[in-house]
């Protein structure tokens, strides 16, 4: 049996300025055709039999689906290819960004996923909330999310955290529309 890659206990509510280096992982650890890994609280990342990652999609046999543990939203995290995917009981899947050593959190009913090279926001049924037009976006908080266009990954710090730098930042509502908000002291 393969030695597990330990998952760091995670899920701090909001990290404002730093991202994990794996945010948009380059895929060096696992390439197309490689095995999938399931994330468990007890054992970290473990091989998932009956799963392959081919042409950017998970291919899950019935035994792989049966082996997954689904959360209260009906989602199970699987790592393959270049990052994490949420999988539903019926096998539907959504590639999500890596954040805080695991798949992105569902916050205010939405999770951040990749749509090509853009960030999209999806509900737990994998319906896209609005068109993905941003280079990066934070999770929603109180119905508002900070998003940017033209921002890029900065240089990783000693702990591997990467800040998003540059670009134009603004806030959006849950319909993807700009929000003009005054920050009071």
């Amino acid at each position: 049996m393969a030695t597990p890659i330990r998952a760091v206990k995670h899920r701090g509510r909001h990290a404002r300025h730093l991202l994990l280096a794996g945010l948009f992982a380059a895929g060096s650890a696992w390439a197309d055709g490689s095995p999938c890994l399931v994330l468990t609280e007890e054992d970290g990342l473990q091989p998932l039999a009956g799963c392959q990652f081919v042409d950017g999609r998970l291919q899950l046999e019935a035994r792989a689906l049966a082996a997954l543990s689904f959360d209260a939203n009906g989602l199970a995290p699987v790592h393959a290819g270049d990052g994490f995917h949420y999988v539903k009981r019926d096998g539907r899947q959504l590639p999500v960004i890596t954040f805080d050593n695991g798949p992105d959190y569902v916050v205010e009913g939405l999770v951040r996923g990749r749509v090509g090279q853009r960030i999209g926001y999806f509900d737990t049924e994998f319906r896209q909330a609005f068109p993905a037009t941003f280079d990066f976006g934070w999770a929603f908080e109180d119905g508002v999310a900070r998003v940017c266009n033209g921002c890029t990954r900065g240089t990783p710090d000693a702990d591997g955290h990467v800040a998003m730098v540059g670009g134009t930042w603004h806030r959006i509502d849950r319909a993807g529309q700009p929000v003009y908000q005054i920050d009071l002291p």
Side-chain angles (χ1 to χ4, degrees), residues 85-163:
H85 305 254
Y86 275 128
V87 176
K88 299 287 286 176
R89 286 183 172 88
D90 63 6
R92 288 181 296 135
Q93 58 191 270
L94 175 69
V96 297
I97 67 169
T98 299
F99 186 76
D100 202 12
N101 293 337
D104 193 38
Y105 314 127
V106 175
V107 178
E108 296 188 15
L110 297 175
V111 63
R112 296 171 290 168
R114 298 296 298 169
V115 180
Q117 296 301 309
R118 300 293 189 165
I119 290 289
Y121 292 84
F122 297 83
D123 68 16
T124 58
E125 292 301 318
F126 301 162
R127 292 179 297 237
Q128 194 168 341
F130 47 83
T133 60
F134 309 108
D135 291 324
F136 182 74
W138 287 102
F140 277 85
E141 183 175 350
D142 298 324
V144 177
R146 280 190 70 211
V147 295
C148 72
N149 282 314
C151 56
T152 58
R153 292 173 48 148
T155 304
D157 67 13
D159 295 320
H161 297 98
V162 178

